[in-house]
Amino acid sequence: TCLASHLSQHVSVICSEHSTTSKTSIPDSNTKIMTLVSLYMYTIPPPKTSHSFYVANEIGGYSPCLKTYLISSTTTFTQLRERIEMETDRGLQRHTIAYIELRNNARLCHNWHDYPEERVTTHYRFGTRFGGTKKNTRGFLEVAVGGNVPPPPLVICEDVEDEPILEIVGTEREEIDLVVIPVTQIRPSDDVVTCEKNRL
């Protein structure tokens, strides 16, 4: 049986109405109040796996922090995605170490929902362990979860990626966690992180 059949907590999908590299990214310009974002990766643990991110040659659960970023109250998911993926080094644009690590780990993941090969390593979604405010939540999907396995993250809808992160996540804290999830871990019919196929 897969992880989802052992869960005892809620998994929900957030939607709006309208390696270990630990260096902090350069903050947005012309801002005063900044929030520290810690970025993690999540993949569905293989069956019979609990806490470890690496198990033999397989990946599962939450990774160590990939990187931290300083964002302002107006920083959007799209802008953060650009900072995750690209950086300028001596005048040249190149992929960041965090993004290379994300892609390498995504390549090792099981493609639970048979996504096309070209999307396996390049497409990922944002998520959060805590969810957003009620006005930003489309609905709740209950999945049975048990034991001490941390529940999977809540997937943030793609159509809010041009909105400010702090408005969608619904927090004014000085530090927050965000999760990147390879699309292979997300059921396309309802944006739930699960290894279960679509139910008829």
Side-chain angles (χ1 to χ4, degrees):
T1 58
C2 67
L3 173 68
S5 65
H6 294 289
L7 302 176
S8 64
Q9 300 180 16
H10 296 297
V11 174
S12 53
V13 181
I14 303 174
C15 189
S16 174
E17 288 178 350
H18 54 76
S19 164
T20 59
T21 302
S22 59
K23 294 182 180 180
T24 301
S25 180
I26 299 174
D28 297 345
S29 60
N30 302 321
T31 57
K32 295 181 179 179
I33 300 175
M34 308 299 291
T35 296
L36 182 68
V37 174
S38 296
L39 190 71
Y40 300 85
M41 180 178 179
Y42 181 88
T43 60
I44 298 170
K48 300 180 181 180
T49 298
S50 56
H51 301 290
S52 298
F53 184 60
Y54 285 96
V55 180
N57 292 323
E58 298 192 72
I59 304 174
Y62 290 95
S63 74
C65 181
L66 296 175
K67 192 168 184 178
T68 57
Y69 300 84
L70 286 173
I71 66 170
S72 73
S73 59
T74 60
T75 303
T76 66
F77 289 98
T78 298
Q79 291 170 334
L80 179 59
R81 186 183 289 273
E82 293 170 354
R83 292 163 64 184
I84 290 171
E85 297 181 6
M86 301 298 297
E87 64 182 357
T88 301
D89 181 26
R90 288 171 288 187
L92 299 175
Q93 285 279 307
R94 68 177 188 181
H95 289 308
T96 65
I97 293 175
Y99 183 58
I100 293 171
E101 183 175 354
L102 191 162
R103 291 186 63 174
N104 287 340
N105 289 337
R107 186 176 294 109
L108 299 175
C109 297
H110 186 77
N111 187 0
W112 300 103
H113 305 289
D114 302 319
Y115 280 87
E117 184 63 28
E118 62 270 17
R119 299 193 66 191
V120 168
T121 61
T122 59
H123 286 64
Y124 61 92
R125 301 278 297 277
F126 286 107
T128 175
R129 304 186 200 197
F130 305 105
T133 58
K134 285 187 177 180
K135 73 172 186 175
N136 291 328
T137 304
R138 182 175 61 196
F140 294 89
L141 296 172
E142 296 186 4
V143 180
V145 197
N148 297 319
V149 179
L154 315 177
V155 180
I156 296 173
C157 292
E158 291 179 301
D159 58 7
V160 302
E161 289 205 2
D162 288 327
E163 301 295 332
I165 294 171
L166 299 184
E167 287 187 13
I168 300 304
V169 174
T171 182
E172 296 180 355
R173 291 178 298 159
E174 295 181 355
E175 297 184 16
I176 63 172
D177 292 342
L178 281 180
V179 185
V180 288
I181 313 153
V183 291
T184 55
Q185 311 300 287
I186 301 171
R187 188 165 58 196
S189 63
D190 52 15
D191 283 353
V192 170
V193 178
T194 179
C195 56
E196 289 189 343
K197 300 291 186 180
N198 293 333
R199 295 182 177 178
L200 299 178

